[in-house]
Amino acid sequence: MEKKVYQVWKGRNKFFLGGRLIFGPDAKSLLATFSLIVIPVIIFIIFVGRHLRHEFPSYNAGYAIIVAAIVFTIYVMVLLLLTSARDPGIVPRNLHPPEEEFTSVSNETGGRQTPALQFPRTKEVMVNGISVRVKYCDTCMLYRPPRCSHCSICNNCVERFDHHCPWVGQCIGLRNYRFFFMFVSSSTLLCIYVFSMSALYIKILMDDHEGTVWKAMKESPAAVVLMTYCFISLWFVGGLTGFHLYLIGSNQTTYENFRYRSDNRYNVYNRGCVNNFFEVFCTQIRPSRNKFRGPVQEEPRQPPPTTSRESAANDAAPEDRRMKVEDDMDIGGDLLKISQRHNIDGIESDIRSRGNDEV
């Protein structure tokens, strides 16, 4: 039986439903994210929303409070699935290095000149009329497109790589960044909604019992727990929403912001705040460059002509490639720490030192 692409995929992704859904290797983290959203909403419906329904007996507002919480939660879950279960913009790997990039040079050994092949590690491409340097990826055997980076966790090159998010278990890139932002911002609004309704219930209890806020809080400890939980969550998802609003407005990615912040580089992708938002939310999402459910197509490998000099140098080539892959994995590991930490200023010096070491 002919194998399909997802069955022989070289990345660390996990596929479900016959290759229709693609997740990152840490897809189990979705269970934690799901629980952190759904369980508080269930508590809200049982211990707060149910009582608020009786506070408005002559109106549908009581039922609307519960229905709104349910619908809003389903909407957030759909955005979570769209973020984590789709191709984030993976660049297909090459079966062999781009042979057209090899250049011939002459090396003098023992008084004799022997031809050798030289492979440039970077090359220049034009972006909006400005020259941009792109790097070669030894793992995927390709020159990464502009704004592309190799994720060490998924082991893929991802277009417009933003970061690898452990909360959704997937890379955030060209094809799912829009849904990621909508998921984060909608989670912020859901926190505000639950917090507001819980505070309203505390206020109603104060009015009904003509007591203090402490008596009302003793009357409904669930509302107090929900308010505390939402307040803490808002510091995370609310701050993340504000940070990504800034990134969208300036047309940056998280990777670019943390790595090049101290370089004062000119942003060749910035087209103005309005156009930047239009680019993220109003442009058509590109189709996936990978046919995961398609048959595997074997491409015959045609290595470049070898020489005695090149044969002698091949012994060191695997070591060089291994060092490059380890370097990519270190960068991806830094991004994982970035996505898990709240204090951005506290890690700025670590990211700056990492970028300086690589330059």
Side-chain angles (χ1 to χ4, degrees):
M1 184 177 179
E2 189 176 27
K3 291 187 176 181
K4 296 185 178 181
V5 172
Y6 77 90
Q7 295 175 324
V8 296
W9 187 251
K10 294 183 179 180
R12 301 191 183 98
N13 303 90
K14 296 181 180 179
F15 295 87
F16 296 93
L17 299 180
R20 292 177 175 86
L21 301 179
I22 173 174
F23 295 88
D26 49 349
K28 292 183 179 179
S29 61
L30 283 172
L31 297 177
T33 304
F34 179 86
S35 300
L36 290 172
I37 297 174
V38 174
I39 292 178
V41 173
I42 294 176
I43 295 175
F44 169 77
I45 293 174
I46 295 175
F47 296 101
V48 177
R50 181 169 58 90
H51 296 289
L52 285 176
R53 183 191 62 182
H54 299 299
E55 295 295 332
F56 305 95
S58 60
Y59 302 97
N60 293 327
Y63 290 97
I65 292 174
I66 298 177
V67 172
I70 296 174
V71 172
F72 212 160
T73 303
I74 294 175
Y75 175 69
V76 172
M77 291 296 101
V78 170
L79 291 174
L80 175 61
L81 182 64
L82 290 174
T83 302
S84 61
R86 65 188 293 126
D87 176 8
I90 299 173
V91 181
R93 301 187 182 203
N94 288 333
L95 298 180
H96 54 78
E99 300 169 9
E100 66 276 4
E101 298 295 339
F102 282 95
T103 58
S104 179
V105 296
S106 296
N107 290 334
E108 185 174 347
T109 305
R112 299 176 56 186
Q113 287 189 349
T114 57
L117 294 176
Q118 186 181 57
F119 192 78
R121 310 304 302 173
T122 62
K123 71 175 184 179
E124 302 288 334
V125 297
M126 299 301 295
V127 177
N128 297 329
I130 299 177
S131 178
V132 176
R133 186 179 67 175
V134 296
K135 295 182 179 180
Y136 178 78
C137 179
D138 289 284
T139 304
C140 300
M141 292 187 289
L142 52 82
Y143 282 101
R144 301 168 185 164
R147 314 191 86 177
C148 173
S149 184
H150 190 92
C151 175
S152 64
I153 300 174
C154 294
N155 198 25
N156 298 311
C157 278
V158 180
E159 291 187 275
R160 202 185 184 278
F161 178 77
D162 191 86
H163 69 288
H164 183 96
C165 181
W167 298 104
V168 303
Q170 182 62 284
C171 288
I172 307 302
L174 178 67
R175 302 190 66 251
N176 65 348
Y177 180 78
R178 177 187 304 177
F179 301 110
F180 169 76
F181 176 80
M182 294 172 65
F183 163 70
V184 173
S185 58
S186 298
S187 299
T188 301
L189 295 177
L190 181 60
C191 284
I192 295 175
Y193 178 79
V194 174
F195 180 90
S196 301
M197 292 298 103
S198 299
L200 175 62
Y201 183 52
I202 294 294
K203 177 65 169 59
I204 291 175
L205 290 177
M206 290 176 58
D207 296 338
D208 290 345
H209 296 82
E210 296 182 355
T212 63
V213 64
W214 300 109
K215 291 183 179 179
M217 292 171 66
K218 291 181 180 180
E219 186 74 18
S220 179
V224 178
V225 172
L226 287 172
M227 291 175 63
T228 304
Y229 176 80
C230 291
F231 180 79
I232 296 174
S233 299
L234 276 173
W235 282 98
F236 177 71
V237 293
L240 202 59
T241 300
F243 176 64
H244 279 278
L245 282 173
Y246 161 72
L247 293 180
I248 295 173
S250 57
N251 206 330
Q252 299 182 68
T253 64
T254 302
Y255 182 86
E256 293 166 348
N257 180 267
F258 279 93
R259 184 162 186 175
Y260 305 125
R261 177 187 298 177
S262 60
D263 295 348
N264 294 323
R265 295 189 179 187
Y266 175 75
N267 187 359
V268 300
Y269 308 103
N270 190 355
R271 302 189 301 168
C273 184
V274 176
N275 290 329
N276 293 336
F277 273 89
F278 183 86
E279 178 182 328
V280 172
F281 297 106
C282 302
T283 55
Q284 184 177 4
I285 298 177
R286 299 178 186 176
S288 174
R289 298 174 61 177
N290 302 277
K291 296 181 179 179
F292 298 111
R293 305 184 68 245
V296 177
Q297 297 180 355
E298 295 292 340
E299 180 181 347
R301 181 172 181 174
Q302 299 178 355
T306 59
T307 65
S308 58
R309 174 67 175 171
E310 183 186 11
S311 300
N314 281 340
D315 295 337
E319 182 65 24
D320 294 338
R321 288 194 296 269
R322 184 160 53 253
M323 291 176 62
K324 180 65 171 65
V325 173
E326 290 174 355
D327 180 62
D328 286 337
M329 295 180 69
D330 289 339
I331 296 175
D334 289 339
L335 289 177
L336 175 60
K337 295 177 182 178
I338 290 171
S339 61
Q340 290 176 321
R341 296 175 64 178
H342 296 186
N343 189 358
I344 295 177
D345 295 332
I347 62 175
E348 180 178 348
S349 59
D350 294 338
I351 300 302
R352 186 183 302 111
S353 62
R354 169 69 63 183
N356 292 334
D357 292 340
E358 293 183 356
V359 174

